């Protein structure tokens, strides 16, 4: 058993007489099989995305509001700023904003009917001195959302504004502009102290809108995270090819043999760049 | 491989990696496809000049480029 496995690895990765001095994994038929496998995978994901997007979204979604809060406060701490605390009304307002975007099908801070972001603050009985809103869509995990905001000057300024003391998040999924979308809404604010003192006296109406600490539907049940698994699978396949090419190049340079094949160095550099691309490409958008 | 070919390859690769780190998402995607096109076409030119171009070699470059493009497509589809 062990012997046959070793033989298989040798045949797959080491150039020798039996595989015509070219690692089997680099033969045309093997490369065609790999491409076929990837095409089938792409087809399955595409079909799933168009026929039952909720299932795919739910499985793909790895955005947790607690992680968003932790990452936001981590960024603020690096600049010596106070940590923000979750405000339930702000989280409700954020969820309301996200639902409004799906309902009126817009990707903007202002709705087509002219509703401003500040409307949702006041609608949820939140009076502020300073307020800000960051939006993101189509990200697969929490750190990437914060990272994208921090890379944008306007959003970074919003996150790092020293006056802010409270924050609210919402992560909602739905159809936006004909496409299955995950929206992340971040609302930041400084409450108006005079209003808060009066508003705190009567009991707050109980709401079943989700906030960061009691939001079971925000953190999805992760049967399998397709985004991360898909990316890792691609990286694994490309890493195997690079390894086979590197071994192949090393052995042939050592033996000084001639053979009619492509240039392994070109292949390795090309695949390395693709790996960098897969690692750094961020498909989400922010406004 | 001539020295100038290798220098050009490294130069364009460095530019591509810089683009991947600093450019907007759409530019990153387009630049990767352009880089794949450069990789295939420039390799063909180098092989033709060295008189080592054959159907087998052309197929090898196209298959690897296709694998990379499909891998990127899978990534884009799964990252909903």
């Amino acid at each position: 058993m062990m012997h046959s496995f070793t033989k298989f690895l040798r045949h797959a990765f080491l150039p020798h007489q039996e595989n015509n001095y070219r690692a089997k994994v680099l033969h045309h038929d093997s490369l065609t099989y790999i491409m076929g496998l990837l095409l089938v995978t792409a087809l399955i994901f595409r079909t799933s995305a168009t026929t039952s997007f909720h299932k795919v979204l739910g499985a793909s979604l790895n955005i947790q509001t607690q992680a968003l809060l932790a990452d936001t406060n981590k960024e603020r701490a690096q600049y010596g700023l106070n940590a923000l605390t979750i405000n339930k009304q702000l989280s409700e307002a954020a969820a309301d904003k996200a639902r409004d975007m799906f309902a009126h099908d817009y990707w903007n801070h202002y709705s087509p009917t002219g509703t401003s972001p500040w409307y949702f603050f006041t609608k949820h009985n939140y009076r502020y001195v300073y307020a800000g809103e960051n939006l993101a869509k189509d990200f697969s995990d929490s750190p990437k959302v914060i990272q994208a905001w921090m890379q944008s000057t306007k959003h970074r300024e919003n996150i790092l504004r020293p006056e802010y003391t409270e924050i609210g998040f919402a992560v909602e999924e739905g159809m936006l502009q004909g496409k299955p979308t995950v929206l992340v809404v971040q609302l930041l604010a400084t409450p108006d102290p005079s209003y808060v003192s009066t508003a705190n006296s009567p009991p707050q109406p109980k709401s079943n809108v989700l906030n960061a600490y009691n939001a079971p539907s925000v953190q999805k049940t992760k049967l399998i995270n397709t985004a991360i698994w898909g990316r890792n699978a691609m990286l694994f396949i490309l890493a195997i090819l690079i390894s086979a090419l590197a071994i192949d190049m090393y052995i042939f340079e050592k033996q000084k043999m001639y053979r009619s094949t492509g240039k392994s160095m070109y292949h390795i550099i090309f695949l390395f760049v693709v790996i960098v691309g897969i690692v750094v490409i961020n498909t989400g958008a922010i406004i | 491989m001539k020295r100038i070919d290798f220098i050009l390859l490294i130069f364009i690769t460095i530019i591509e990696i810089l683009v991947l780190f600093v450019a907007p998402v759409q530019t990153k995607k387009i630049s990767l496809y352009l880089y794949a096109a450069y990789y295939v076409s420039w390799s063909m030119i180098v092989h033709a000049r060295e008189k080592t171009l054959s159907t087998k070699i052309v197929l090898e470059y196209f298959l690897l480029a296709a694998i990379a493009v499909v891998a990127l497509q899978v990534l884009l589809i799964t990252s909903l």
Side-chain angles (χ1 to χ4, degrees):
Chain A
M1 181 72 180
M2 192 63 193
H3 176 70
S4 59
F5 183 66
T6 314
K7 199 177 167 186
F8 165 77
L9 282 182
R10 182 173 176 265
H11 189 61
F13 291 99
L14 294 179
H16 59 96
Q17 197 175 6
E18 280 175 36
N19 57 20
N20 204 18
Y21 296 100
R22 182 73 159 167
K24 183 65 184 168
V25 78
L26 299 174
H27 283 207
H28 290 171
D29 52 351
S30 303
L31 294 177
T32 312
Y33 285 136
I34 291 172
M35 201 180 69
L37 187 73
L38 291 178
L39 277 171
V40 170
T41 312
L43 200 69
I44 290 169
F45 278 127
R46 190 175 283 275
T47 312
S48 307
T50 51
T51 55
S52 58
F53 81 88
H54 277 297
K55 197 176 167 188
V56 173
L57 280 176
S60 303
L61 194 56
N62 192 25
I63 302 174
Q64 299 163 25
T65 47
Q66 291 193 36
L68 290 170
L69 174 69
D71 288 347
T72 303
N73 281 335
K74 198 172 150 193
E75 294 292 345
R76 286 178 66 88
Q78 283 180 6
Y79 290 85
L81 298 169
N82 59 306
L84 303 173
T85 53
I86 282 284
N87 180 285
K88 191 178 175 182
Q89 286 158 288
L90 281 181
S91 291
E92 289 170 356
D96 206 5
K97 169 64 185 261
R99 285 193 292 268
D100 189 68
M101 289 174 79
F102 286 124
H104 295 98
D105 202 25
Y106 65 96
W107 170 237
N108 203 317
H109 288 290
Y110 288 81
S111 83
T113 54
T115 307
S116 78
W118 325 125
Y119 163 77
F120 298 96
F121 288 75
T122 49
K123 186 184 169 187
H124 289 272
N125 208 25
Y126 189 96
R127 298 289 184 274
Y128 54 87
V129 182
Y130 301 100
E133 178 190 74
N134 283 339
L135 302 174
K137 67 171 182 174
D138 294 338
F139 285 88
S140 56
D141 54 38
S142 319
K144 281 185 179 174
V145 179
I146 302 297
Q147 194 185 351
W149 280 333
M150 289 304 290
Q151 283 171 355
S152 151
T153 312
K154 275 169 62 183
H155 297 89
R156 186 174 61 242
E157 282 172 2
N158 227 358
I159 288 174
L160 299 179
R161 195 161 178 177
E163 290 89 354
Y164 292 145
T165 53
E166 294 182 341
I167 194 166
F169 288 105
V171 183
E172 296 275 329
E173 54 187 76
M175 289 293 283
L176 190 73
Q177 295 163 346
K179 204 182 144 207
T181 303
V182 176
L183 278 178
V184 181
V185 180
Q186 181 191 52
L187 298 181
L188 308 111
T190 316
D192 181 349
S194 58
Y195 185 81
V196 170
S197 60
T198 54
N200 275 349
S201 48
Q204 292 293 313
K206 196 178 176 183
S207 170
N208 55 9
V209 180
L210 306 170
N211 71 20
Y213 289 123
N214 57 4
S217 79
V218 169
Q219 185 177 339
K220 300 294 170 189
T221 306
K222 288 186 285 175
L223 300 172
I224 180 170
N225 190 319
T226 49
I228 293 170
W229 275 83
R231 193 181 74 162
N232 289 348
M234 296 308 121
L235 292 175
F236 179 70
I237 289 169
L238 295 179
I240 282 183
L241 288 174
I242 286 183
S243 309
L245 284 162
I247 293 168
D248 186 77
M249 193 175 76
Y250 172 74
I251 290 177
F252 263 79
E253 286 293 319
K254 209 174 163 187
Q255 294 180 344
K256 305 268 180 216
M257 289 169 72
Y258 173 78
R259 121 198 113 163
S260 174
T261 59
K263 294 181 188 301
S264 296
M265 179 60 90
Y266 273 31
H267 297 327
I268 290 171
I269 292 173
F270 171 67
L271 294 176
F272 172 74
V273 171
V274 173
I275 284 182
V276 173
I278 287 176
V279 170
V280 302
I281 275 188
N282 200 338
T283 55
I286 56 169
I287 53 169
Chain B
M1 196 190 309
K2 282 184 182 176
R3 194 187 193 92
I4 186 73
D5 294 331
F6 191 69
I7 291 170
L8 186 68
L9 175 70
I10 297 296
F11 179 68
I12 291 177
T13 302
I14 290 170
I15 291 175
E16 173 62 23
I17 289 173
L18 285 176
V19 168
L20 285 175
F21 276 101
V22 299
V25 177
Q26 199 58 28
T27 313
K28 285 178 188 177
K29 291 178 198 169
I30 294 169
S31 75
L32 264 174
Y33 293 127
L34 285 175
Y35 185 76
Y38 156 76
Y39 153 77
V40 174
S41 54
W42 185 246
S43 307
M44 296 299 104
I45 292 170
V46 170
H47 277 286
R49 212 171 46 210
E50 291 176 355
K51 297 191 185 347
T52 53
L53 193 61
S54 66
T55 317
K56 197 180 149 192
I57 286 176
V58 172
L59 192 61
E60 185 177 319
Y61 281 97
F62 270 97
L63 279 170
L64 278 167
I67 285 172
V69 168
V70 175
L72 280 168
Q73 284 302 318
V74 173
L75 173 79
L76 298 180
I77 294 167
T78 53
S79 301
L80 278 170

